[in-house]
Amino acid sequence: MTTPNSRDTAADSTPEPVVRFGAGAVRGRLENGLAVFRGIPFAEPPVGDARFQAPRPVRGWDGVRDAFDFGPPPPQESGFQGRRGVLVAPTGDDWLTVNVWTPAPDPAARRPVMVWIYGGAYKLGHAGSPGYDAQHIARDGDLVVVTLNYRVGIEGFARIDGAPANRGLLDQVAALEWVRENITAFGGDPEQVTVFGESAGAGSVASLLVMPSASGLFRRAIAQSVPSPFFSDPLAKDIAAAIAAEAGLRPTAADLSTVDPRQLPMAGETLTDKMHQYEDRWGTLAHTLSPFAPVVDGEVLPTTPWQGLAAGAARDVELILGHNRDEFRLFTVLDGQFGKLTEEDATTALRRFGPGPDAAQAYRTAFPDASPGELHEIVNSDRVFRMPCLHLAEAQLAAGGRAHVYELTWPAPGLGGVLGACHGLDIPLLFGTFTADLGNLLFADVEPSPEALALSSRFRASWTAFARTGDPGWPAYDIERRAVQLLDAEPVVTAYPEEASRRLWKGHVFAALPLIG
């Protein structure tokens, strides 16, 4: 018997849990009533001749492998707005790993399974980030939670010659296949899998809904703040060429493989700083935050999620779709623009990002009392997150499927309360991680109030009830009543609250972004 880790809360004589599955055996930790396994490889390290290729099945191992530590994050840019401090993470090439929290690794338990996909503009993220500690979800919901790493940035999404498109999405499929084949050994039910994700993680969930390779790997899905950008193949190839040029290379797997994967993200970072120079070719994308997104290549990802759902690709998958009321506030605050935006800034944003040639006047008519800063925030929140989520729900309904819709309206208390119900607030509320990652900003210098703790508990109760039964506790959305759950101190079901925006965007089609020139 091995000596229990100091973090274990079980008696000193309690052995560390060992689970045997297809590739071998792993030893985890007992932590606060859960068995936790970290850093289990679900695919071979994507380096050497496997670099820029589809994930390859992991080779088995002899003996019992310690699963005590998270696997290393995939290569990525140095950081992102909102994170405080340095992410402490292991190094190495074994990027493609999963982590499991389970009440009991008993094959007879057959508990529902929730699989988390992190966000980060498709260029950042790590399942080992403290904000994604899934213990509260697993324990409160009495279910199994899996988190996974996937390739981001150039490694995962650059559209280069000699490599399949959407490698990051293929990693997610491989992780879901690992769940299907192995989660029973950890006490989970492979027939009761729910995928859930936020921001780029929600965009990934939306992609998985319409990917043939992901069909049948999950029963339910939750997409929190789905971002709108999806790239056409020509646009994605042009972006990849620009990124490779920053490194003095051609956009090929052979050329890019000559650069250390930990150094290559700098080329994407350099391009991001001057994307505005490409407006004549990339259109509105040139004024956004990331040169990466899923690519509608016609093979790995045959259509956009909106087109695919409307055609019935996920008709039998039960969905939760939703967004936060003040999505874009986070970015204006972190950019130092909050309270400083002018009438000219608002007009530029409305013309650039609004739906149709008359968007500026239409928004001013719909929101006659809005300040320039409010107009700037509303149109960006609508374009990037709110309307993409609503249109996905309506696409699912059009195909005869079902979706539950929510809006988070409870305001973050950090930074004097200026953040409102901003982008990312749902993460610390759902996971209960108020002092980690974005939670460290959104709850900065503020102890979580009883109100925050109660909302956090309700958040988890709704999500885990949905994973168990398909019912989160409020009615499904329909085009007559448009019933939506408002997540606030006093949750209420009401008609969709962003009706003015819904009407403005009613005829808009979220298509794959084209290459203009």
Side-chain angles (χ1 to χ4, degrees):
M1 182 183 298
T2 55
T3 303
N5 183 271
S6 60
R7 291 177 297 180
D8 295 345
T9 58
D12 289 345
S13 61
T14 303
E16 291 164 325
V18 173
V19 168
R20 302 182 187 279
F21 58 98
V26 290
R27 178 184 294 108
R29 302 285 201 195
L30 293 175
E31 300 177 9
N32 304 311
L34 298 170
V36 184
F37 302 83
R38 297 179 174 90
I40 304 171
F42 66 84
E44 284 296 294
V47 295
D49 63 0
R51 194 170 174 198
F52 298 116
Q53 301 306 308
R56 298 178 178 179
V58 67
R59 290 188 289 269
W61 56 86
D62 296 325
V64 180
R65 177 178 181 141
D66 288 341
F68 299 160
D69 301 309
F70 292 111
Q76 57 194 268
E77 296 179 16
S78 56
F80 67 89
Q81 297 171 316
R83 172 172 283 157
R84 294 180 170 190
V86 177
L87 174 65
V88 178
T91 58
D93 297 330
D94 217 348
W95 313 327
L96 302 183
T97 58
V98 293
N99 318 291
V100 182
W101 286 258
T102 177
D106 176 4
R110 307 285 286 192
R111 287 177 167 86
V113 181
M114 298 188 73
V115 180
W116 171 253
I117 303 176
Y118 54 71
Y122 304 103
K123 62 180 181 177
L124 301 159
H126 176 218
S129 295
Y132 305 141
D133 182 343
Q135 62 169 309
H136 298 296
I137 299 174
R139 189 163 46 253
D140 292 2
D142 190 33
L143 43 69
V144 178
V145 181
V146 178
T147 67
L148 62 95
N149 275 0
Y150 63 95
R151 283 172 284 182
V152 295
I154 299 171
E155 300 291 329
F157 288 94
R159 186 68 169 106
I160 57 177
D161 290 340
N166 301 303
R167 297 171 297 281
L169 298 179
L170 292 175
D171 293 343
Q172 296 166 18
V173 171
L176 287 167
E177 290 173 339
W178 183 94
V179 169
R180 180 186 60 192
E181 294 162 7
N182 301 296
I183 205 63
T184 301
F186 293 85
D189 182 354
E191 301 300 321
Q192 284 265 82
V193 174
T194 298
V195 291
F196 66 129
E198 182 268 350
S199 197
S204 297
V205 169
S207 300
L208 292 168
L209 288 167
V210 299
M211 288 173 60
S213 60
S215 178
L217 293 177
F218 53 91
R219 182 173 177 178
R220 301 182 178 104
I222 304 172
Q224 305 167 209
S225 301
V226 177
S228 58
F230 278 70
F231 296 165
S232 66
D233 212 39
L235 174 63
K237 289 178 177 177
D238 201 62
I239 294 169
I243 293 172
E246 294 295 334
L249 301 169
R250 295 172 301 168
T252 68
D255 268 28
L256 294 173
S257 291
T258 65
V259 181
D260 186 287
R262 291 160 193 82
Q263 300 301 317
L264 194 55
M266 294 189 336
E269 208 162 353
T270 301
L271 178 69
T272 301
D273 292 338
K274 50 181 170 182
M275 281 173 60
H276 62 278
Q277 298 176 12
Y278 292 85
E279 183 177 17
D280 61 331
R281 302 216 306 267
W282 303 349
T284 58
L285 174 68
H287 300 280
T288 57
L289 300 173
S290 177
F292 303 105
V295 182
V296 180
D297 66 308
E299 184 176 348
V300 175
L301 185 60
T303 70
T304 67
W306 298 274
Q307 181 184 359
L309 260 61
R315 182 183 297 112
D316 297 329
V317 178
E318 296 166 318
L319 301 183
I320 291 178
L321 291 157
H323 55 73
N324 305 347
R325 182 186 59 202
D326 310 308
E327 290 277 7
F328 212 75
R329 183 82 55 84
L330 176 69
F331 307 105
T332 54
V333 169
L334 293 175
D335 284 343
Q337 293 180 302
F338 184 69
K340 300 178 181 178
L341 291 161
T342 66
E343 189 68 37
E344 183 180 358
D345 293 327
T347 299
T348 298
L350 291 169
R351 289 175 175 169
R352 180 178 289 156
F353 300 125
D358 301 321
Q361 184 56 51
Y363 260 87
R364 286 194 166 91
T365 300
F367 301 96
D369 300 323
S371 68
E374 289 168 339
L375 287 169
H376 184 278
E377 178 182 303
I378 292 169
V379 71
N380 276 291
S381 293
D382 285 345
R383 170 187 65 93
V384 185
F385 300 113
R386 300 196 309 188
M387 295 305 107
C389 289
L390 185 67
H391 282 216
L392 269 181
E394 295 185 345
Q396 180 73 340
L397 265 63
R402 189 175 68 161
H404 298 264
V405 178
Y406 74 89
E407 180 177 71
L408 174 61
T409 52
W410 187 83
L415 301 186
V418 301
L419 288 161
C422 68
H423 188 65
L425 177 59
D426 44 321
I427 296 175
L429 287 172
L430 175 59
F431 283 86
T433 48
F434 300 103
T435 59
D437 296 340
L438 269 178
N440 202 14
L441 172 76
L442 303 177
F443 291 83
D445 305 317
V446 178
E447 284 291 320
S449 64
E451 182 177 282
L453 294 172
L455 176 57
S456 179
S457 180
R458 283 195 297 271
F459 225 125
R460 285 190 295 280
S462 292
W463 264 226
T464 57
F466 177 76
R468 189 174 298 279
T469 68
D471 182 2
W474 72 87
Y477 186 84
D478 64 67
I479 58 173
E480 285 81 33
R481 295 175 298 165
R482 303 192 186 279
V484 170
Q485 174 73 67
L486 299 189
L487 294 169
D488 211 318
E490 295 295 334
V492 63
V493 175
T494 186
Y496 184 65
E498 313 304 337
E499 177 63 12
S501 293
R502 186 192 71 80
R503 290 179 178 274
L504 288 171
W505 288 80
K506 185 176 181 180
H508 183 78
V509 175
F510 285 98
L513 297 178
L515 178 65
I516 296 174

